[in-house]
Amino acid sequence: MTALLETRGVWQRFGGLVANSDVSISVGRGEIVGLIGPNGAGKSTLFNLIAGVLPPTQGSIWFDGEDVTRMPAAERCQRGVGRTFQVVKSFETMTVVDNVIVGALVRNTVMREARRKAHEVLEFTGLAARAGVLASDLVPAEKRRLEVARALATEPKLLLLDEVLTGLTPTEAQTGVALVRKVRDAGITVLMVEHVMEIVMPLVDRAIVLDLGKVLVEGKPADVVRDPKVISAYLGDRHAQSA
Ligand SMILES: Nc1ncnc2c1ncn2[C@@H]1O[C@H](COP(=O)(O)OP(=O)(O)OP(=O)(O)O)[C@@H](O)[C@H]1O
Ligand SMILES: [Mg+2]
């Protein structure tokens, strides 16, 4: 069976800056894959290329057996690419349930059905009790969960999570980890960017390390964390402030 997602020799240049350099990765159906790497490694850029926010400068992106390189973001979402944003993008002046309805409307054009789907997702993500409050009144951990809920409401095959566990307390992060497992158990493939190794490594089936826009190492989490190249990318002088 073909991979659910493949990037083939993907490059992204911003003027003279090379954010992604010949990136070829694949994500199999049902996997949880961790995308890690120091600040500025090109992780969010790669997410934008996969989600269709930007077309790559060069290379191609394949999703569910189809070349989606030139397909607009909304169409990729229809095909089953769901994503969260590193900077939370919820509509602050709308209620939690209305935020999730926005996601659900991608697949349900009848409002009553979108609302039903939204409530189902709020239940799934543990936000049901907060359905009626304004998004701006949520605590940070709940805002992250709302981002996930909004993406799940689009009924993705692939969920791209950009640092949804970052900045949470250890307890909140563990709740987040449990949610990611639940998402995978529901049949959704997960590609997640995360910085905190102790949290992400026990969760993922495979880890891909980006550094300076390139794939540095890829493999089983236990092997990746011991790889000298990974250790030096995180601890080397270049990244002393960001490690
Ligand atoms: N729209 C843009 N225009 C110009 N440069 C950009 C743009 N987006 C990203 N970059 C640059 O591309 C590089 C990769 O950025 P990116 O946000 O992908 O890194 P990241 O791995 O997600 O980092 P972080 O861990 O800090 O979130 C950085 O040098 C960044 O400044
Ligand atoms: Mg980023």
Side-chain angles (χ1 to χ4, degrees):
M1 190 141 77
T2 57
L4 180 60
L5 172 75
E6 250 186 88
T7 70
R8 298 185 187 164
V10 160
W11 292 76
Q12 180 61 50
R13 296 192 180 84
F14 296 112
L17 190 145
V18 182
N20 283 163
S21 165
D22 197 21
V23 176
S24 296
I25 67 164
S26 76
V27 179
R29 290 162 209 272
E31 270 194 304
I32 303 178
V33 174
L35 183 63
I36 63 170
N39 292 117
K43 307 179 295 294
S44 295
T45 300
L46 188 61
F47 266 25
N48 284 336
L49 298 180
I50 295 167
V53 178
L54 296 166
T57 312
Q58 201 181 313
S60 63
I61 295 165
W62 293 73
F63 179 72
D64 211 4
E66 203 180 354
D67 184 346
V68 299
T69 313
R70 305 280 151 216
M71 193 183 280
E75 223 171 297
R76 289 190 213 191
C77 183
Q78 283 289 349
R79 294 285 202 286
V81 180
R83 62 97 46 104
T84 66
F85 293 86
Q86 183 172 349
V87 178
V88 174
K89 294 239 182 179
S90 301
F91 305 109
E92 296 275 302
T93 59
M94 282 166 51
T95 61
V96 167
V97 68
D98 284 346
N99 266 280
V100 181
I101 286 173
V102 173
L105 284 168
V106 165
R107 240 169 258 291
N108 305 273
T109 45
V110 177
M111 189 47 117
R112 188 165 30 87
E113 283 166 17
R115 184 174 297 279
R116 190 195 48 74
K117 178 70 196 175
H119 281 289
E120 180 190 308
V121 171
L122 288 176
E123 204 64 59
F124 185 89
T125 52
L127 281 170
R130 310 290 273 154
V133 310
L134 291 179
S136 56
D137 288 338
L138 297 179
V139 300
E142 292 172 325
K143 283 189 184 174
R144 295 291 173 78
R145 238 179 312 149
L146 176 56
E147 280 286 293
V148 177
R150 236 164 29 126
L152 284 175
T154 68
E155 301 179 44
K157 291 178 184 159
L158 172 70
L159 182 61
L160 304 169
L161 300 174
D162 199 349
E163 301 201 19
V164 289
L165 306 177
T166 303
L168 304 185
T169 67
T171 313
E172 289 166 347
Q174 284 317 315
T175 307
V177 163
L179 178 58
V180 174
R181 290 214 168 93
K182 204 170 145 189
V183 166
R184 190 259 291 276
D185 291 345
I188 300 166
T189 302
V190 177
L191 177 61
M192 58 189 300
V193 168
E194 209 55 64
H195 276 293
V196 190
M197 297 267 202
E198 305 84 82
I199 292 172
V200 76
M201 287 307 181
L203 172 62
V204 300
D205 302 310
R206 208 148 52 79
I208 299 169
V209 185
L210 279 190
D211 185 36
L212 301 170
K214 292 193 181 69
V215 176
L216 185 69
V217 173
E218 149 170 21
K220 291 207 177 75
D223 298 330
V224 165
V225 290
R226 275 195 250 105
D227 193 296
K229 290 199 287 290
V230 175
I231 295 168
S232 85
Y234 271 93
L235 302 179
D237 287 339
R238 270 186 301 123
H239 301 295
Q241 331 84 304
S242 60

